[in-house]
Amino acid sequence: MWDIVGTSAALGDDGRNGSAAASTYSSVHIGVVLDSNTSMGAMVDLCISMALWDFYSVHSDYKTRLVLYRKDAQNYLDVASAVLELMKNEKVHSILGPQMLTDDKFIVELGRKAHVPVISFMARSAQSLSYAQSPFYIRTTPDDSNQAKALATLCQGFEWHEAVILYEDSAYGNQFLSQINNAFREADIRLANIVAISTSAEGHHIKKDLNKLKTMQTRVFVVHMNAALGSRLFVLAKQAGMMSEGYAWLITDGLGNFMNSIDSAVVDSMEGVLGVRPYVRKSENLKNFETRWKKNMLLMKPESTVKELNVYGLWAYDTVWGLAMAIEKIGMVNPGFLERKTSKNCSEISNLRISEFGPKLAKELQNVTFEGLTGDFHLDGGQLKSSPLEIFNVFETGDRIIGYWTPDGGIRRKLALTGGQTYSTSTKELKSIVWPGDSVKQPIGWAIPSIGKLKVGVPMKDGFTEFVKVSKDPLTNKINVAGFSIDIFLSVLQQLPFDVDHEFIPFTNQSGLSKGSYDDLLSNVSKTFDMVVGDTTILADRSKYVDFTLPYSESGIVVVVKHKKEKDMWIFVKPFKWDLWLTIFSTCIFIGIVLRILENRAKNNSDSLGPHKQQLGFLFWFPIAVLAFPEKNMVTNNWSRFVLVVWLFMAYIIMQSYTANLSAMFTVDQLDFRLSDDSYIGCQTGTFVKDFLINRLHISESKIEEYSTVEEYHEAMTKGSKNGGIDAIFDEIPYMKLFLDRYSSNYKIVGPTYRTDGFGFAFPLGSPLVIHFSRAILAVTEASNITAIEQKNFGVNYSSDNQLDSINKASPGLTAYNFGGLFILIASALLFALFCSETSVGQRLTDILTYYSHRCFFFLSFRGYNESRASSMVHPDTNGHSSSDEEEVVRGSDRLDDSSMPGREHEFVQRNVNISSRDAQVSEVQMSEQRNVDVSSRQINS
């Protein structure tokens, strides 16, 4: 009774507070705009009155008092009129309310013009009204964006990748729609559908919308609407069979805050629903207030339908406390108004007086901090600081808390207000959940529409039926579909965590022929088909209107040409150009000459090179002989050995370069392929490859021929472009693997691989099936049974691994013909050697060549010897002697010069004998001179 009397005294008979207040108190007029005819208005009105009584009971020594002036307003027009009247007639310095879940720009503009703070304890968002733009608009509620983020986190945790939004068609619903759209986009969750429901919508209109949603694949629904409309929605949803197993429903605090006052029949229809709402910390003060509030509500407002207190009443209570604290901090002032200087023709709004107290109050409210009934009261940027949300599950006749969400920590089983937490999206943190249909199995978020089977479109192909083959049973008219792509699809179905009932629908016309290209087939996804299965290539242009799974085949476009069968027996010469061969030959002769000079000057070893016949050969074959017979005693001069080391270094480099270049000549044609302007190209009918050739490779359309089967490819390549065929095939790797598997000996892959993404299954944009099928495809392609599927459709000898290395598969082996020229030269050299050695004609020819070679050699040698002799005469040795063996050499040379060309065989032989004897005489003279030199040297030494 004391509470009731105190509250009545606070209210006053005329609706004003503080009529009996002592004159020593400084009064500040505050306006309150509510709709007392609604349960929400009645609840909030009582909370405001109790807050005022409780505050001044605790702070009786304060020198300021709030004086409340109430106005009833049932709609936006009434609210605007009430606020204008309070500002003009009652000279209020702040407005509490109005009772709207959204901001009202007109009311806010009135507060800005009059410098009167408008304090809302109901509005949850103000996207268009920031605190910087409207410093006189203050919301003592947390922002709705936290709810949107919490719902997006729940969808992430349950792995729901798309959802349907049902919202109240009002400013309250529209503002939240933009927030949840942003939150879902950041979480990569697609909005499959958005349904706006009017607050005055009839039941059959709501049921019609629900029936449309029932035909969709998505089974996750997010509801944002007030308690009255939301209650009607769930009753109708249960009647439509949408509160059964497999469905998931999420609600915001528009419904969640009123769960304790909703009819039990509505709660029963909501069983299994998950919701979020602001967390209110339990305390003894809160418990005591709830008890007092219930008693006062029953005695003072028995006609009200609200029997339970909710968070909006608590926010109103804390708002009054915060406002009273701010006014007390400002101190005892005489709040007044300044007259606005305006003309007489200005409107009533323009004539509003400006509050001197309002700006101080708006600023001081930002600094107020205390422990309220809802927790810490602290304004941040004109709005109550974000608080945690509790996650609840509707069960039986009420709801139970299953976890919490915080802006920093995400989903938590228990609330920890301390920092240092990592953000969690795991729903394993939550307690056990009962889902719609009294199920404990988590919904997957989507399902095949209940109206029928999954319609699977397949292409109709004339060729390459190993991938997709559509046939019709002539007796039963039943459509049979087989092939590699179909077997992959059936294997994928077995890997899915759910059952999918399906039917294949060929993309054909009334005549049973193909209805169009692959692009035409994919354009019918979501119109005629629920998905497409076949050898459909994943392309960027196609992904604009369909979603593809991960590929289940190899990717890329390759070029196939015929083997080059050019017969060239002189290929061993081609690694070096003629100038390099000539340079190598000249270098050998030059090195031989250098070695001859170096060895001729060797001391005490003038005969080290042997007879003149051997000295002549030294010039030509010695550098080559060093490679074949690297004996140590072939040379005696150290500088000769240095020359040979340099020569060996050069020779090994030349040999390695020759080997590498010859190897490259047999493989480079596998890596390099260039199309000429006269080349004709083949591609597969109905695929994207033709557009690829025209748009990307800029090949004339007149040079492109289309074929459907492997046999047509082979026939066209066999003919060649000169006979009405083609020169090369451009097609995807899976098709060309089949082609090469059948005709591998005739064709090869050349040039680069043009990248594509392989074959995949196509779904409508945003389909939730894509991720499940992609995971199943990975399981199938990584399993061992993929080989069995390939061999079933492509042949028992088929192996994808054997055809990956296209160059090795296409490269021809070397034959004896490739080195035929080399063998001919070797054979010719051997036969020539036998001819010169074993036949009289060859011997005679050899003698003639030897004779003239010796004449040239001796001429060069004696000329060099005479020059050396002259030098010795000019520069005698240290003993004063000079060499005299030149005289004998000259005499020998004169005797040789007297010879003439042989006329008959016996004369030629006789002259050879004479030459040999003369050589011996020269040698004897040289030895005699050497002995004389040695004797002279000994005598001098004696």
mmCIF file of all heavy atoms in Angstrom, residues 453-460 468 470 479-481 486 489 502-509 515 521 524 527-533:
data_model
loop_
_atom_site.group_PDB
_atom_site.id
_atom_site.type_symbol
_atom_site.label_atom_id
_atom_site.label_comp_id
_atom_site.label_asym_id
_atom_site.label_seq_id
_atom_site.Cartn_x
_atom_site.Cartn_y
_atom_site.Cartn_z
ATOM 1 N N LYS A 453 10.196 -34.414 -57.441
ATOM 2 C CA LYS A 453 11.589 -34.838 -57.423
ATOM 3 C C LYS A 453 12.497 -33.718 -57.930
ATOM 4 O O LYS A 453 12.048 -32.734 -58.510
ATOM 5 C CB LYS A 453 11.757 -36.075 -58.302
ATOM 6 C CG LYS A 453 10.919 -37.269 -57.881
ATOM 7 C CD LYS A 453 11.135 -38.442 -58.836
ATOM 8 C CE LYS A 453 10.302 -39.641 -58.430
ATOM 9 N NZ LYS A 453 10.483 -40.797 -59.346
ATOM 10 N N LEU A 454 13.785 -33.947 -57.707
ATOM 11 C CA LEU A 454 14.778 -33.016 -58.223
ATOM 12 C C LEU A 454 14.914 -33.232 -59.726
ATOM 13 O O LEU A 454 15.264 -34.320 -60.183
ATOM 14 C CB LEU A 454 16.119 -33.252 -57.529
ATOM 15 C CG LEU A 454 17.234 -32.270 -57.850
ATOM 16 C CD1 LEU A 454 16.918 -30.905 -57.258
ATOM 17 C CD2 LEU A 454 18.559 -32.775 -57.311
ATOM 18 N N LYS A 455 14.622 -32.203 -60.487
ATOM 19 C CA LYS A 455 14.661 -32.306 -61.944
ATOM 20 C C LYS A 455 16.087 -32.065 -62.433
ATOM 21 O O LYS A 455 16.625 -30.973 -62.275
ATOM 22 C CB LYS A 455 13.708 -31.290 -62.569
ATOM 23 C CG LYS A 455 12.242 -31.504 -62.182
ATOM 24 C CD LYS A 455 11.350 -30.430 -62.777
ATOM 25 C CE LYS A 455 9.901 -30.630 -62.351
ATOM 26 N NZ LYS A 455 9.021 -29.559 -62.897
ATOM 27 N N VAL A 456 16.679 -33.108 -63.023
ATOM 28 C CA VAL A 456 18.065 -33.070 -63.460
ATOM 29 C C VAL A 456 18.106 -33.014 -64.982
ATOM 30 O O VAL A 456 17.706 -33.973 -65.658
ATOM 31 C CB VAL A 456 18.846 -34.293 -62.946
ATOM 32 C CG1 VAL A 456 20.297 -34.220 -63.396
ATOM 33 C CG2 VAL A 456 18.750 -34.396 -61.441
ATOM 34 N N GLY A 457 18.548 -31.893 -65.523
ATOM 35 C CA GLY A 457 18.667 -31.765 -66.968
ATOM 36 C C GLY A 457 19.961 -32.364 -67.474
ATOM 37 O O GLY A 457 21.011 -32.213 -66.847
ATOM 38 N N VAL A 458 19.902 -33.073 -68.606
ATOM 39 C CA VAL A 458 21.090 -33.681 -69.216
ATOM 40 C C VAL A 458 21.123 -33.304 -70.691
ATOM 41 O O VAL A 458 20.084 -33.167 -71.335
ATOM 42 C CB VAL A 458 21.090 -35.219 -69.056
ATOM 43 C CG1 VAL A 458 21.237 -35.610 -67.602
ATOM 44 C CG2 VAL A 458 19.817 -35.826 -69.631
ATOM 45 N N PRO A 459 22.324 -33.112 -71.264
ATOM 46 C CA PRO A 459 22.415 -32.744 -72.683
ATOM 47 C C PRO A 459 22.181 -33.943 -73.585
ATOM 48 O O PRO A 459 22.442 -35.088 -73.205
ATOM 49 C CB PRO A 459 23.852 -32.225 -72.804
ATOM 50 C CG PRO A 459 24.592 -32.954 -71.740
ATOM 51 C CD PRO A 459 23.637 -33.152 -70.611
ATOM 52 N N MET A 460 21.690 -33.659 -74.768
ATOM 53 C CA MET A 460 21.516 -34.685 -75.804
ATOM 54 C C MET A 460 22.702 -34.581 -76.754
ATOM 55 O O MET A 460 22.917 -33.552 -77.384
ATOM 56 C CB MET A 460 20.200 -34.443 -76.560
ATOM 57 C CG MET A 460 19.904 -35.502 -77.604
ATOM 58 S SD MET A 460 19.501 -37.078 -76.833
ATOM 59 C CE MET A 460 19.210 -38.090 -78.290
ATOM 60 N N VAL A 468 27.919 -38.625 -71.749
ATOM 61 C CA VAL A 468 26.470 -38.650 -71.531
ATOM 62 C C VAL A 468 25.820 -39.317 -72.741
ATOM 63 O O VAL A 468 26.039 -38.875 -73.881
ATOM 64 C CB VAL A 468 25.879 -37.231 -71.344
ATOM 65 C CG1 VAL A 468 24.363 -37.326 -71.173
ATOM 66 C CG2 VAL A 468 26.500 -36.529 -70.144
ATOM 67 N N VAL A 470 22.026 -40.613 -73.983
ATOM 68 C CA VAL A 470 20.577 -40.663 -73.756
ATOM 69 C C VAL A 470 19.963 -41.600 -74.778
ATOM 70 O O VAL A 470 20.158 -41.427 -75.980
ATOM 71 C CB VAL A 470 19.947 -39.264 -73.863
ATOM 72 C CG1 VAL A 470 18.448 -39.340 -73.635
ATOM 73 C CG2 VAL A 470 20.594 -38.309 -72.850
ATOM 74 N N ILE A 479 13.181 -43.404 -70.764
ATOM 75 C CA ILE A 479 14.435 -42.718 -71.062
ATOM 76 C C ILE A 479 15.544 -43.309 -70.188
ATOM 77 O O ILE A 479 15.423 -43.356 -68.955
ATOM 78 C CB ILE A 479 14.313 -41.215 -70.814
ATOM 79 C CG1 ILE A 479 13.215 -40.606 -71.709
ATOM 80 C CG2 ILE A 479 15.643 -40.519 -71.059
ATOM 81 C CD1 ILE A 479 13.509 -40.706 -73.176
ATOM 82 N N ASN A 480 16.599 -43.745 -70.831
ATOM 83 C CA ASN A 480 17.770 -44.270 -70.132
ATOM 84 C C ASN A 480 18.933 -43.302 -70.323
ATOM 85 O O ASN A 480 19.208 -42.875 -71.441
ATOM 86 C CB ASN A 480 18.152 -45.651 -70.656
ATOM 87 C CG ASN A 480 17.057 -46.675 -70.411
ATOM 88 O OD1 ASN A 480 16.459 -46.696 -69.341
ATOM 89 N ND2 ASN A 480 16.788 -47.521 -71.403
ATOM 90 N N VAL A 481 19.599 -42.980 -69.241
ATOM 91 C CA VAL A 481 20.734 -42.053 -69.279
ATOM 92 C C VAL A 481 21.939 -42.760 -68.675
ATOM 93 O O VAL A 481 21.853 -43.352 -67.592
ATOM 94 C CB VAL A 481 20.438 -40.757 -68.503
ATOM 95 C CG1 VAL A 481 21.606 -39.794 -68.604
ATOM 96 C CG2 VAL A 481 19.172 -40.104 -69.023
ATOM 97 N N ILE A 486 27.203 -39.240 -65.728
ATOM 98 C CA ILE A 486 26.065 -39.767 -64.977
ATOM 99 C C ILE A 486 26.548 -40.652 -63.840
ATOM 100 O O ILE A 486 26.014 -40.598 -62.716
ATOM 101 C CB ILE A 486 25.128 -40.532 -65.918
ATOM 102 C CG1 ILE A 486 24.687 -39.636 -67.076
ATOM 103 C CG2 ILE A 486 23.924 -41.058 -65.159
ATOM 104 C CD1 ILE A 486 24.001 -38.357 -66.663
ATOM 105 N N PHE A 489 27.730 -38.531 -61.055
ATOM 106 C CA PHE A 489 26.586 -37.959 -60.340
ATOM 107 C C PHE A 489 25.972 -38.971 -59.383
ATOM 108 O O PHE A 489 25.672 -38.646 -58.216
ATOM 109 C CB PHE A 489 25.545 -37.480 -61.358
ATOM 110 C CG PHE A 489 24.234 -37.060 -60.745
ATOM 111 C CD1 PHE A 489 24.133 -35.884 -60.032
ATOM 112 C CD2 PHE A 489 23.103 -37.846 -60.880
ATOM 113 C CE1 PHE A 489 22.932 -35.491 -59.460
ATOM 114 C CE2 PHE A 489 21.899 -37.470 -60.319
ATOM 115 C CZ PHE A 489 21.808 -36.294 -59.601
ATOM 116 N N HIS A 502 15.450 -38.012 -57.546
ATOM 117 C CA HIS A 502 15.712 -37.252 -58.761
ATOM 118 C C HIS A 502 15.118 -37.955 -59.972
ATOM 119 O O HIS A 502 14.760 -39.147 -59.925
ATOM 120 C CB HIS A 502 17.223 -37.100 -58.966
ATOM 121 C CG HIS A 502 17.921 -38.401 -59.222
ATOM 122 N ND1 HIS A 502 18.253 -39.268 -58.208
ATOM 123 C CD2 HIS A 502 18.334 -38.996 -60.374
ATOM 124 C CE1 HIS A 502 18.835 -40.338 -58.705
ATOM 125 N NE2 HIS A 502 18.908 -40.200 -60.016
ATOM 126 N N GLU A 503 15.051 -37.202 -61.053
ATOM 127 C CA GLU A 503 14.661 -37.737 -62.352
ATOM 128 C C GLU A 503 15.436 -36.990 -63.431
ATOM 129 O O GLU A 503 15.639 -35.785 -63.358
ATOM 130 C CB GLU A 503 13.159 -37.599 -62.580
ATOM 131 C CG GLU A 503 12.638 -36.165 -62.577
ATOM 132 C CD GLU A 503 11.163 -36.082 -62.941
ATOM 133 O OE1 GLU A 503 10.692 -37.001 -63.635
ATOM 134 O OE2 GLU A 503 10.502 -35.107 -62.540
ATOM 135 N N PHE A 504 15.916 -37.759 -64.442
ATOM 136 C CA PHE A 504 16.674 -37.168 -65.542
ATOM 137 C C PHE A 504 15.713 -36.694 -66.630
ATOM 138 O O PHE A 504 14.793 -37.423 -67.035
ATOM 139 C CB PHE A 504 17.641 -38.195 -66.126
ATOM 140 C CG PHE A 504 18.761 -38.568 -65.200
ATOM 141 C CD1 PHE A 504 18.824 -39.840 -64.646
ATOM 142 C CD2 PHE A 504 19.743 -37.657 -64.861
ATOM 143 C CE1 PHE A 504 19.840 -40.196 -63.786
ATOM 144 C CE2 PHE A 504 20.773 -37.995 -64.001
ATOM 145 C CZ PHE A 504 20.813 -39.267 -63.458
ATOM 146 N N ILE A 505 15.969 -35.477 -67.103
ATOM 147 C CA ILE A 505 15.144 -34.889 -68.165
ATOM 148 C C ILE A 505 16.069 -34.465 -69.291
ATOM 149 O O ILE A 505 16.834 -33.501 -69.144
ATOM 150 C CB ILE A 505 14.338 -33.682 -67.650
ATOM 151 C CG1 ILE A 505 13.458 -34.092 -66.466
ATOM 152 C CG2 ILE A 505 13.503 -33.082 -68.770
ATOM 153 C CD1 ILE A 505 12.700 -32.941 -65.843
ATOM 154 N N PRO A 506 16.074 -35.164 -70.444
ATOM 155 C CA PRO A 506 16.946 -34.780 -71.566
ATOM 156 C C PRO A 506 16.521 -33.434 -72.146
ATOM 157 O O PRO A 506 15.336 -33.084 -72.187
ATOM 158 C CB PRO A 506 16.757 -35.913 -72.577
ATOM 159 C CG PRO A 506 16.166 -37.038 -71.791
ATOM 160 C CD PRO A 506 15.338 -36.412 -70.718
ATOM 161 N N PHE A 507 17.507 -32.691 -72.592
ATOM 162 C CA PHE A 507 17.260 -31.385 -73.200
ATOM 163 C C PHE A 507 17.001 -31.593 -74.693
ATOM 164 O O PHE A 507 17.870 -31.394 -75.540
ATOM 165 C CB PHE A 507 18.456 -30.474 -72.973
ATOM 166 C CG PHE A 507 18.236 -29.046 -73.393
ATOM 167 C CD1 PHE A 507 17.195 -28.300 -72.882
ATOM 168 C CD2 PHE A 507 19.084 -28.439 -74.307
ATOM 169 C CE1 PHE A 507 17.000 -26.982 -73.256
ATOM 170 C CE2 PHE A 507 18.899 -27.123 -74.700
ATOM 171 C CZ PHE A 507 17.846 -26.399 -74.171
ATOM 172 N N THR A 508 15.792 -32.002 -75.005
ATOM 173 C CA THR A 508 15.426 -32.342 -76.386
ATOM 174 C C THR A 508 14.144 -31.627 -76.780
ATOM 175 O O THR A 508 13.374 -31.165 -75.935
ATOM 176 C CB THR A 508 15.232 -33.855 -76.545
ATOM 177 O OG1 THR A 508 14.219 -34.304 -75.624
ATOM 178 C CG2 THR A 508 16.529 -34.610 -76.239
ATOM 179 N N ASN A 509 13.927 -31.585 -78.093
ATOM 180 C CA ASN A 509 12.684 -31.035 -78.615
ATOM 181 C C ASN A 509 11.672 -32.162 -78.815
ATOM 182 O O ASN A 509 11.899 -33.305 -78.395
ATOM 183 C CB ASN A 509 12.928 -30.263 -79.912
ATOM 184 C CG ASN A 509 13.681 -31.103 -80.937
ATOM 185 O OD1 ASN A 509 13.640 -32.341 -80.903
ATOM 186 N ND2 ASN A 509 14.387 -30.447 -81.840
ATOM 187 N N LYS A 515 17.921 -29.711 -78.207
ATOM 188 C CA LYS A 515 17.158 -28.476 -78.265
ATOM 189 C C LYS A 515 18.040 -27.234 -78.394
ATOM 190 O O LYS A 515 17.536 -26.130 -78.619
ATOM 191 C CB LYS A 515 16.288 -28.370 -77.006
ATOM 192 C CG LYS A 515 15.132 -27.402 -77.116
ATOM 193 C CD LYS A 515 14.259 -27.501 -75.885
ATOM 194 C CE LYS A 515 13.065 -26.554 -75.981
ATOM 195 N NZ LYS A 515 12.192 -26.648 -74.794
ATOM 196 N N LEU A 521 21.103 -24.929 -72.650
ATOM 197 C CA LEU A 521 20.741 -25.863 -71.583
ATOM 198 C C LEU A 521 20.877 -25.216 -70.225
ATOM 199 O O LEU A 521 19.973 -25.309 -69.368
ATOM 200 C CB LEU A 521 21.622 -27.112 -71.686
ATOM 201 C CG LEU A 521 21.573 -28.109 -70.523
ATOM 202 C CD1 LEU A 521 20.177 -28.703 -70.389
ATOM 203 C CD2 LEU A 521 22.594 -29.217 -70.726
ATOM 204 N N ASN A 524 18.278 -22.721 -68.860
ATOM 205 C CA ASN A 524 17.000 -23.262 -68.384
ATOM 206 C C ASN A 524 17.061 -23.742 -66.945
ATOM 207 O O ASN A 524 16.074 -24.267 -66.429
ATOM 208 C CB ASN A 524 16.549 -24.409 -69.293
ATOM 209 C CG ASN A 524 15.905 -23.925 -70.574
ATOM 210 O OD1 ASN A 524 14.713 -23.687 -70.640
ATOM 211 N ND2 ASN A 524 16.731 -23.749 -71.602
ATOM 212 N N LYS A 527 14.443 -22.685 -64.360
ATOM 213 C CA LYS A 527 13.192 -22.535 -65.115
ATOM 214 C C LYS A 527 12.575 -23.898 -65.383
ATOM 215 O O LYS A 527 11.432 -24.173 -65.016
ATOM 216 C CB LYS A 527 13.451 -21.811 -66.433
ATOM 217 C CG LYS A 527 14.010 -20.409 -66.279
ATOM 218 C CD LYS A 527 14.307 -19.792 -67.629
ATOM 219 C CE LYS A 527 14.927 -18.416 -67.503
ATOM 220 N NZ LYS A 527 15.278 -17.833 -68.834
ATOM 221 N N THR A 528 13.364 -24.744 -66.035
ATOM 222 C CA THR A 528 12.897 -26.093 -66.360
ATOM 223 C C THR A 528 13.551 -27.139 -65.471
ATOM 224 O O THR A 528 12.912 -28.139 -65.117
ATOM 225 C CB THR A 528 13.208 -26.412 -67.835
ATOM 226 O OG1 THR A 528 12.682 -25.370 -68.656
ATOM 227 C CG2 THR A 528 12.587 -27.741 -68.235
ATOM 228 N N PHE A 529 14.805 -26.917 -65.107
ATOM 229 C CA PHE A 529 15.558 -27.904 -64.341
ATOM 230 C C PHE A 529 15.967 -27.321 -62.983
ATOM 231 O O PHE A 529 16.157 -26.115 -62.842
ATOM 232 C CB PHE A 529 16.820 -28.329 -65.099
ATOM 233 C CG PHE A 529 16.571 -28.704 -66.536
ATOM 234 C CD1 PHE A 529 17.127 -27.964 -67.572
ATOM 235 C CD2 PHE A 529 15.779 -29.794 -66.861
ATOM 236 C CE1 PHE A 529 16.907 -28.289 -68.885
ATOM 237 C CE2 PHE A 529 15.549 -30.134 -68.179
ATOM 238 C CZ PHE A 529 16.109 -29.382 -69.202
ATOM 239 N N ASP A 530 16.135 -28.235 -62.028
ATOM 240 C CA ASP A 530 16.686 -27.853 -60.729
ATOM 241 C C ASP A 530 18.207 -27.901 -60.742
ATOM 242 O O ASP A 530 18.849 -27.264 -59.899
ATOM 243 C CB ASP A 530 16.159 -28.783 -59.632
ATOM 244 C CG ASP A 530 14.649 -28.666 -59.462
ATOM 245 O OD1 ASP A 530 14.149 -27.527 -59.498
ATOM 246 O OD2 ASP A 530 13.981 -29.697 -59.318
ATOM 247 N N MET A 531 18.782 -28.647 -61.668
ATOM 248 C CA MET A 531 20.224 -28.705 -61.840
ATOM 249 C C MET A 531 20.524 -29.335 -63.194
ATOM 250 O O MET A 531 19.625 -29.886 -63.838
ATOM 251 C CB MET A 531 20.888 -29.523 -60.723
ATOM 252 C CG MET A 531 20.547 -30.988 -60.722
ATOM 253 S SD MET A 531 21.445 -31.955 -59.466
ATOM 254 C CE MET A 531 23.142 -31.759 -60.001
ATOM 255 N N VAL A 532 21.771 -29.232 -63.633
ATOM 256 C CA VAL A 532 22.203 -29.826 -64.902
ATOM 257 C C VAL A 532 23.400 -30.720 -64.618
ATOM 258 O O VAL A 532 24.347 -30.314 -63.943
ATOM 259 C CB VAL A 532 22.577 -28.739 -65.938
ATOM 260 C CG1 VAL A 532 23.335 -29.354 -67.107
ATOM 261 C CG2 VAL A 532 21.327 -28.048 -66.439
ATOM 262 N N VAL A 533 23.335 -31.953 -65.147
ATOM 263 C CA VAL A 533 24.416 -32.926 -65.005
ATOM 264 C C VAL A 533 24.893 -33.299 -66.401
ATOM 265 O O VAL A 533 24.075 -33.636 -67.271
ATOM 266 C CB VAL A 533 23.945 -34.180 -64.248
ATOM 267 C CG1 VAL A 533 25.006 -35.264 -64.303
ATOM 268 C CG2 VAL A 533 23.621 -33.832 -62.808
#
